[in-house]
Amino acid sequence: MWGVYEHREVAKQLDRLPIELLKRYEKWKDIAMLSGPLGLRQIKGFNDEALKGQWDGHRSSRLGLQYRVIYKISTEEQRLLVLSITPHDSRRGSHEKLSSRQKDYQCVCR
C-alpha cells in the first residue's frame, strides 16, 4: 500500500477548490493508495504524465479540464508526495517549486 503525503500548501489550495474537484481528488488519493503510480497511469481520465524542464522528476494527473495534481514518487518508501493542485495554464510558464523536506508534508493515509 502506498502512502500519500500532501505539502502544507495543498491544504490551502483544497479550501479554494469546487466540491466536484474535491471528490475527484479524493478518488485520485484512493487509487494512489491502493495501486500507486501504476494504477494512476492505467486510468485514462487522469491523463497521468511525466513533467519536463524545471519539473523533471515530477508527474501530473488531470482532475478535470483545468486542474492538475502535481506530485513526486518516492519508490523506495512507497510514497507519493503531492506538491500542488492548481489550474493548468501553459502560458504561465513555471510554478514556484516547493520544498521536498519531509517536515513540509503531512500523511493523508487512512
Side-chain angles (χ1 to χ4, degrees):
M1 182 172 250
W2 286 76
V4 176
Y5 291 78
E6 293 175 343
H7 193 274
R8 59 186 169 173
E9 294 294 319
V10 171
K12 295 175 190 174
Q13 294 168 351
L14 290 174
D15 290 339
R16 292 179 281 206
L17 288 181
I19 292 183
E20 182 64 33
L21 288 173
L22 285 173
K23 290 178 184 178
R24 289 181 190 171
Y25 178 61
E26 289 298 321
K27 182 58 73 178
W28 182 91
K29 286 192 303 188
D30 290 342
I31 293 167
M33 282 189 247
L34 292 174
S35 305
L38 185 61
L40 293 172
R41 282 186 222 135
Q42 290 177 345
I43 298 177
K44 293 184 183 207
F46 287 136
N47 195 29
D48 190 79
E49 59 190 7
L51 298 176
K52 301 174 186 173
Q54 177 184 355
W55 288 93
D56 192 35
H58 294 78
R59 298 193 66 81
S60 169
S61 283
R62 191 181 285 176
L63 291 180
L65 291 176
Q66 184 179 11
Y67 282 85
R68 306 287 188 268
V69 177
I70 298 174
Y71 67 99
K72 185 173 182 138
I73 301 169
S74 175
T75 53
E76 61 274 351
E77 300 164 345
Q78 284 198 332
R79 292 181 180 173
L80 295 176
L81 305 173
V82 178
L83 293 140
S84 178
I85 300 174
T86 59
H88 178 69
D89 187 359
S90 59
R91 294 171 295 168
R92 199 169 13 180
S94 64
H95 301 295
E96 180 181 325
K97 203 158 187 180
L98 298 173
S99 165
S100 60
R101 295 179 303 180
Q102 187 60 39
K103 70 176 187 173
D104 291 336
Y105 292 88
Q106 177 181 6
C107 182
V108 293
C109 309
R110 291 185 193 138

